[in-house]
């Protein structure tokens, strides 16, 4: 509930919000990890509220971290999937080969850091 511009309207994804494991919030977006390890995002698409570009890769998600405009998900195999504003960490392609065996991700307002095994 609340201002739709800040994720307060989940009508478009309401049917998917069942069997939730964890909910994360950042900026204008909410992200839910479902019991099956998939992810649902809603809110302002400019701030990471649209993960459709990486949806097929968001399987077996273990943890999510967020900057103010981007999200990073650790998968069960230790790899990382990111989405959202590239200037705030939503594009990890430059470091993707280094993001293996990731155990934890932390974030500031505009950057991520990963702890490797």
């Amino acid at each position: 509930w609340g201002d739709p511009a800040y994720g307060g309207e989940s009508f478009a994804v309401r049917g998917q919000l069942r069997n939730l494991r964890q909910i994360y919030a950042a900026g204008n977006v909410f992200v839910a990890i479902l019991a099956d390890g998939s992810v649902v995002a809603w809110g302002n698409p400019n701030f990471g509220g649209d993960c459709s570009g990486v949806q097929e890769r968001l399987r077996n998600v273990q943890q999510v971290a967020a900057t103010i405009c981007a999200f990073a998900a650790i998968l069960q195999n230790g790899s990382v999937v990111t989405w959202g504003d590239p200037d705030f960490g939503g594009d990890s392609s430059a470091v993707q080969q280094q993001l293996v065996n990731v155990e934890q991700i932390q974030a500031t307002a505009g950057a991520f850091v990963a702890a490797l095994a």
Side-chain angles (χ1 to χ4, degrees), residues 44-116:
N44 190 318
N46 297 320
F47 291 82
D50 178 6
C51 62
S52 61
V54 295
Q55 189 73 56
E56 72 283 349
R57 295 175 50 211
L58 290 170
R59 302 286 180 247
N60 300 310
V61 174
Q62 302 299 302
Q63 176 194 340
V64 171
T67 65
I68 60 171
C69 296
F71 289 84
I74 302 175
L75 307 185
Q76 188 174 31
N77 66 5
S79 64
V80 173
V81 176
T82 58
W83 70 95
D85 189 322
D87 292 334
F88 290 83
D91 180 1
S92 58
S93 59
V95 295
Q96 194 64 50
Q97 291 183 348
Q98 299 170 48
L99 295 174
V100 294
N101 298 317
V102 175
E103 292 187 341
Q104 183 181 15
I105 294 177
Q106 291 293 325
T108 63
F112 292 104
V113 64
L116 307 179

